[in-house]
Amino acid sequence: MAKKKCLAMILAGGQGSRLGALTLNVAKPAVSFGAKYKIIDFALSNCANSGIDTVGILTQYQPLDLNTYVGTGQPWDLDSNDGGVFILPPYMSAEKGEWYKGTANAIYQNINFISRFNPEYVLILSGDHIYKMNYSKMLKKHIENNADCTIATISVPLSEASRFGILSADENGKIIEFAEKPKVPKSNQASMGIYIFNWEVLKEELIKDESNMRSTNDFGKDIIPSMLEKNKSLYIYGFKGYWKDVGTISSLWEANMDLLDENCELDINDPTWPIMARTTASRPQYISSKASVNHSLITEGCEVEGEIKHSILFHNVKVGKNSKIVDSIVMNNVTIGDDVIIYKAVIGDNATIGNHVRINTRGVDTPEYVNTKICSNDLSLIGTDVTIGNNVKIGKHSMITKSIKGGK
C-alpha cells in the first residue's frame, strides 16, 4: 500500500452523557447540528478540504447510527481507492478484547491499522467539536519546526483557563510546560485536543504508555507530559477562528444559535470551505400563508403553519396552526401539533408534540422533570422518539426521556 504523508484518526467513541436524552441511543458525534448536519461533519469536512484522504473513525458507545451515517465516506469525497474512511471499533483478537480505555489507548489499539498506510505524520482529532480548520497549514508549521508533536491551541479568557489543558510556550512557540486544568493557569493557550505527531515517535510513546500500569492512557494526562519530560520537540499551533466544544445542552444550543448571528465567524455557506453532510432527497419546505418565519434556519421538507422566531428546524419538521416556536432547536422528523408554544428548548429527533402543549413557558413549574445537571441556562430538553400528549405543560430546566400521556 502506498505510503501516506498524513493520516487522520478521529476519536468518536464518547458517550456524551452531558447531552442527556440526546445521547441515550447515539454517540455524541452523531447528534444533529445546524439544521442539516451531524457534529462529526465538521471534522470529516475539514479533513477533505485539507487534502487528507485517509481517515480512521474510532467508535465505541452506541455506534450504529454513526457507522450508518458515515458509510463509505462518499458525501465528504473520502471514498478513494487508495484511502477512504474506516470505522474502527475496539480491537478484538483471539486472545482478548477490551474497550478503549482512554484516548491514547484507542490509538494504541489501532497501531496495525495506521502501520498499513505507513504515514509520516498522524493527525489526532475529536469528533465532537464545531469549527473549520485547515489542517494542511498546521502540518506545514509542524514540518517547519521539525517538531515531534504539534498541538493546536486557542486563546481563552484567563478566568476560564482552569477548565482546559493549558500550554505555556517560549517566543518561538516551543512548549515548555503543560498543565491539565490548573488552579492557577500560567497561560491562556488552551489545547483544542488536535495533535499532529511524527508517526514513529507516536508509536514508540504509545507502546511505552501501554506498558505503564499507572497510566490513564490519555494524551493530555500521560502522553504529552511524558514527551515533555523526555525533552521531545513540542510546539503550539495557534488557531484563530470559531471553535466550540458542544459537550453540554447549553453549549449545543449556543452553537446552533450562533449560526443565526450575522457576525458569526463560522460561515457554513462559504463555498471555499464547504461543510458536507449525508443528506437524503426531500421535498421542498412549505410555509403557509398564515405562517410567520423570522431570523431562523428552515431545512428541506419542513411544513410550517405557525410562527417561528430565532429558531432552527431540521429536516421534515411539521409545525401546526397557531403554534409558536422561539429560541429553540427542533431536530429531524419532529411533528408539532396546533396551538403549541415552545420557548428555549431542544427537541430531539422523531419527537411528537401534541396539540395545546406548553414547553418552557412562563408560570409553568414541573419539578418532577427538572434536571439542572443537564439543562442549564433556562433550557429544556425533549428526548429522541418521545411523544408529548395533548395539553401537557412542561416547565424550564426539564429533561423528558419518556413519553407523557396527554389530557383532554
Side-chain angles (χ1 to χ4, degrees):
M1 189 169 291
K3 181 181 178 70
K4 290 289 179 181
K5 184 173 183 178
C6 186
L7 174 149
M9 300 288 279
I10 301 178
L11 299 165
Q15 180 176 351
S17 58
R18 291 181 299 164
L19 288 178
L22 295 183
T23 51
L24 290 178
N25 299 304
V26 299
K28 181 163 62 169
V31 170
S32 300
F33 178 84
K36 64 183 300 180
Y37 304 104
K38 303 287 187 185
I39 294 172
I40 200 171
D41 285 330
F42 289 83
L44 289 172
S45 297
N46 287 339
C47 286
N49 291 328
S50 300
I52 296 173
D53 64 0
T54 306
V55 180
I57 301 179
L58 287 71
T59 62
Q60 181 159 278
Y61 173 80
Q62 295 285 9
L64 181 59
D65 281 6
L66 183 60
N67 296 355
T68 302
Y69 181 75
V70 172
T72 63
Q74 185 274 331
W76 305 272
D77 198 25
L78 292 171
D79 56 346
S80 61
N81 291 330
D82 62 343
V85 168
F86 300 84
I87 302 295
L88 303 171
Y91 180 72
M92 303 293 290
S93 69
E95 292 80 21
K96 67 174 184 175
E98 60 182 359
W99 294 112
Y100 293 142
K101 295 181 290 185
T103 54
N105 174 259
I107 303 299
Y108 170 82
Q109 287 198 37
N110 288 284
I111 283 178
N112 289 339
F113 166 79
I114 298 173
S115 296
R116 285 174 53 195
F117 296 94
N118 192 24
E120 292 182 62
Y121 310 102
V122 175
L123 170 67
I124 310 293
L125 306 170
S126 294
D128 51 10
H129 296 157
I130 304 299
Y131 67 111
K132 297 199 298 186
M133 182 176 180
N134 190 336
Y135 304 133
S136 64
K137 290 184 177 180
M138 181 177 173
L139 178 59
K140 181 181 178 182
K141 199 68 177 176
H142 175 85
I143 295 170
E144 288 175 355
N145 288 329
N146 194 28
D148 294 311
C149 172
T150 299
I151 303 174
T153 63
I154 192 165
S155 298
V156 298
L158 203 57
S159 60
E160 299 179 15
S162 295
R163 299 193 294 110
F164 299 90
I166 297 298
L167 297 153
S168 298
D170 65 18
E171 64 276 9
N172 298 314
K174 188 172 183 179
I175 299 170
I176 55 177
E177 188 175 350
F178 172 79
E180 183 69 26
K181 298 181 179 179
K183 291 182 179 179
V184 183
K186 297 180 181 180
S187 162
N188 71 336
Q189 292 299 302
S191 170
M192 298 169 66
I194 299 171
Y195 313 100
I196 292 179
F197 289 93
N198 294 349
W199 170 230
E200 292 302 323
V201 172
L202 176 60
K203 180 165 60 174
E204 180 181 344
E205 290 294 329
L206 290 173
I207 292 171
K208 289 181 179 178
D209 180 73
E210 188 64 22
S211 66
N212 181 0
M213 299 303 293
R214 294 176 297 176
S215 175
T216 61
N217 307 121
D218 182 83
F219 278 105
K221 295 177 182 177
D222 303 290
I223 298 294
I224 301 305
S226 174
M227 292 181 71
L228 284 172
E229 286 180 8
K230 298 171 186 174
N231 293 318
K232 295 288 186 180
S233 181
L234 286 80
Y235 282 80
I236 65 170
Y237 177 77
F239 174 73
K240 292 180 173 60
Y242 185 95
W243 178 82
K244 195 106 175 179
D245 180 348
V246 287
T248 65
I249 288 298
S250 179
S251 61
L252 179 68
W253 179 84
E254 289 171 0
N256 274 273
M257 293 297 108
D258 285 343
L259 299 179
L260 301 177
D261 184 348
E262 295 177 358
N263 298 315
C264 181
E265 293 179 277
L266 183 69
D267 182 3
I268 58 175
N269 296 313
D270 180 5
T272 67
W273 200 269
I275 301 301
M276 296 160 275
R278 179 179 296 280
T279 57
T280 56
S282 184
R283 62 193 186 282
Q285 302 97 325
Y286 169 75
I287 311 296
S288 81
S289 60
K290 295 183 178 179
S292 171
V293 177
N294 180 36
H295 200 189
S296 299
L297 290 177
I298 310 293
T299 317
E300 298 97 328
C302 290
E303 298 180 14
V304 179
E305 296 187 86
E307 179 182 354
I308 312 297
K309 185 176 180 180
H310 197 253
S311 294
I312 295 178
L313 272 57
F314 287 67
H315 291 278
N316 301 324
V317 171
K318 296 182 180 179
V319 180
K321 299 174 182 176
N322 300 315
S323 289
K324 185 175 183 179
I325 317 297
V326 181
D327 293 338
S328 295
I329 302 167
V330 185
M331 294 183 176
N332 300 286
N333 307 311
V334 171
T335 298
I336 296 172
D338 298 335
D339 186 37
V340 173
I341 300 178
I342 300 174
Y343 283 102
K344 206 172 180 181
V346 178
I347 313 296
D349 292 331
N350 307 310
T352 300
I353 311 297
N355 301 322
H356 316 298
V357 171
R358 300 291 183 264
I359 298 176
N360 231 353
T361 55
R362 291 181 180 178
V364 177
D365 186 22
T366 50
E368 66 271 31
Y369 301 133
V370 167
N371 187 328
T372 52
K373 183 177 179 180
I374 299 296
C375 299
S376 58
N377 297 331
D378 293 337
L379 284 162
S380 286
L381 170 62
I382 308 299
T384 300
D385 297 314
V386 165
T387 295
I388 306 297
N390 296 338
N391 298 298
V392 170
K393 292 179 172 60
I394 297 168
K396 68 181 180 180
H397 293 149
S398 296
M399 182 173 77
I400 309 301
T401 59
K402 296 181 179 179
S403 296
I404 302 174
K405 288 185 177 182
K408 295 182 179 179

